Amino acid sequence: MFENSGESRTSLSEYGEFGLIDHLTRNFVITPENTLKGIGDDAAVLDFKDEKVVVTTDLLVEGVHFDLSYMPLKHLGYKAVMVNLSDLYAMNAKARQITVSIAVSNRFPVEALEELYSGIELAAKLYKVDVVGGDTSSSNSGMIISVTALGAAKEEEVVYRSGAKANDLLVVTGDLGAAYMGLQVLEREKQVFKVNPNSQPDLDPYTYLIERQLKPEARQDIPPLFKALDLHPTSMIDISDGLSSETIHLCKNSGTGVNLFEEKIPLDPAVISVCEEFKLDSTTIALSGGEDYELLFTIDQGDYDKIKGNPNFTVIGHMTEENEGRHLVTRANQKIELIARGWNAMKKEEGEGN
């Protein structure tokens, strides 16, 4: 949450809606390659020439998707951009523009929103996207953030969830489970703080996990790598809700089954260590934790040599005929039905993820 620290707090009413937008977006720089007109008119004007436009949007709600007791506002702004850009990269597209809309209650001063937008600005700068519009409104209960991201790709380069076929290899980038375990560490320390507000947690052993939760990075490096390797995935999705859920999405959309091998799932040593500390099963965390924002994709077996030995990729299974079912193959070589247990924002009970 925004810390006042005795500094002045500027009421949102001092700016008004349009003055607030001007104030918060004053530092955004537009690159003219594809953005003909950004913020400042009734609508943005974009030029994608002969490319296809790819559009995605995500809504983040305080108390549902984030907790400001341990999520710094600058990190929240950064993360709000990342969750959208990740969807574009999952389509094998290049991110070009975003719009940002927020609704906030009057408990937030202008300075708090400046922190939020500094994170958005940093993400836009590092990932080379233009902020071309958005909206502000009031909220009766906390903060709501909506980001829409636009990207572009040649028609033949776009990758859907629906192209996988039997015998394709199932591949994942990076490692899994760290973001969820970072959340568990933060939630534990929050409870300790409630009991003893003077306690000072030692979070150094959990740096990687907490960073993966609070400041995830979308895999903008992967689409250019595919191009360099002359590799075109047959299907792809980003891992936001857990490996099991996303694998099942690929299967349902492609009309296939899958054998996913437990021993192949990439885990950082920090995840294994903290899972032991929390008495949690690391495989379950990788399958169901979510918010890793890695890419899960399938390739033709004939393309295996193109990724063999590449540290960015891990082959974790293969697709099967649909009637063979969807299975996790355990280390004991037993087949267990793969079930989607990832986070669900519509659950009435408490979810498993952030």
Side-chain angles (χ1 to χ4, degrees):
M1 180 55 183
F2 177 72
E3 296 292 340
N4 187 25
S5 302
E7 297 177 0
S8 62
R9 292 166 60 93
T10 306
S11 171
L12 301 180
S13 62
E14 291 193 26
Y15 281 93
E17 179 182 358
F18 299 110
L20 181 62
I21 293 173
D22 290 341
H23 177 72
L24 295 175
T25 62
R26 67 192 186 281
N27 294 323
F28 290 145
V29 177
I30 297 299
T31 55
E33 179 185 358
N34 302 104
T35 304
L36 303 183
K37 180 64 178 179
I39 297 170
D41 218 306
D42 289 306
V45 181
L46 314 175
D47 181 9
F48 287 85
K49 297 183 172 63
D50 59 347
E51 294 179 310
K52 301 301 179 184
V53 180
V54 183
V55 184
T56 184
T57 189
D58 267 293
L59 190 67
L60 301 179
V61 180
E62 183 180 355
V64 177
H65 301 98
F66 59 89
D67 186 335
L68 289 177
S69 65
Y70 51 70
M71 169 66 83
L73 284 164
K74 184 173 183 177
H75 287 70
L76 176 60
Y78 192 93
K79 184 173 182 177
V81 177
M82 289 303 108
V83 300
N84 283 272
L85 299 189
S86 182
D87 285 332
L88 295 183
Y89 303 139
M91 301 294 294
N92 204 31
K94 181 179 179 180
R96 291 283 173 76
Q97 290 90 8
I98 60 172
T99 65
V100 181
S101 297
I102 60 170
V104 292
S105 65
N106 58 12
R107 88 173 197 265
F108 294 94
V110 170
E111 288 78 9
L113 299 190
E114 289 174 346
E115 280 289 299
L116 178 75
Y117 270 72
S118 68
I120 295 169
E121 181 186 348
L122 177 62
K125 180 180 179 180
L126 293 179
Y127 283 74
K128 296 180 173 59
V129 296
D130 292 335
V131 183
V132 297
D135 194 16
T136 61
S137 183
S138 60
S139 166
N140 291 327
S141 56
M143 177 180 288
I144 301 170
I145 307 171
S146 177
V147 175
T148 297
L150 298 93
K154 301 289 186 182
E155 185 172 7
E156 64 272 15
E157 294 175 345
V158 177
V159 179
Y160 300 94
R161 298 178 181 181
S162 55
K165 58 189 184 300
N167 297 318
D168 280 357
L169 300 178
L170 183 66
V171 188
V172 70
T173 64
D175 58 78
L176 306 177
Y180 181 80
M181 291 314 299
L183 175 63
Q184 300 314 299
V185 170
L186 292 168
E187 286 285 353
R188 180 183 67 184
E189 296 307 321
K190 176 183 175 180
Q191 297 307 316
V192 171
F193 179 80
K194 285 181 177 179
V195 175
N196 181 11
N198 294 319
S199 66
Q200 294 295 321
D202 179 13
L203 297 178
D204 287 345
Y206 312 107
T207 300
Y208 177 65
L209 308 181
I210 292 173
E211 183 174 305
R212 291 277 280 179
Q213 169 59 217
L214 297 184
K215 189 178 175 289
E217 300 290 349
R219 294 306 301 257
Q220 67 170 332
D221 58 318
I222 297 301
L225 182 56
F226 286 152
K227 192 169 185 178
L229 294 172
D230 189 27
L231 179 68
H232 187 79
T234 53
S235 68
M236 186 156 57
I237 190 171
D238 81 320
I239 301 178
S240 56
D241 297 326
L243 176 60
S244 59
S245 294
E246 315 304 4
T247 301
I248 290 172
H249 280 311
L250 292 184
C251 290
K252 286 183 175 179
N253 281 268
S254 296
T256 68
V258 69
N259 285 328
L260 193 164
F261 293 86
E262 179 183 18
E263 65 179 1
K264 300 295 185 182
I265 298 174
L267 300 170
D268 189 89
V271 171
I272 298 172
S273 174
V274 177
C275 280
E276 292 174 353
E277 180 182 339
F278 278 74
K279 295 180 172 54
L280 295 172
D281 178 69
S282 59
T283 298
T284 301
I285 298 308
L287 289 173
S288 305
E291 292 201 303
D292 292 305
Y293 301 109
E294 296 292 347
L295 297 179
L296 178 70
F297 60 96
T298 56
I299 62 171
D300 186 275
Q301 281 200 28
D303 286 330
Y304 173 68
D305 285 344
K306 296 178 181 179
I307 67 167
K308 183 180 179 181
N310 192 306
N312 290 285
F313 305 130
T314 303
V315 178
I316 59 173
H318 62 266
M319 312 306 274
T320 64
E321 297 293 346
E322 187 171 23
N323 59 12
E324 293 184 36
R326 303 184 288 259
H327 296 102
L328 174 71
V329 182
T330 70
R331 292 183 178 89
N333 205 32
Q334 293 180 319
K335 282 189 174 182
I336 300 174
E337 183 183 1
L338 193 63
I339 299 174
R341 298 189 185 278
W343 181 73
N344 180 355
M346 299 304 173
K347 281 184 179 180
K348 291 183 179 180
E349 68 273 15
E350 290 185 11
E352 292 184 43
N354 183 25

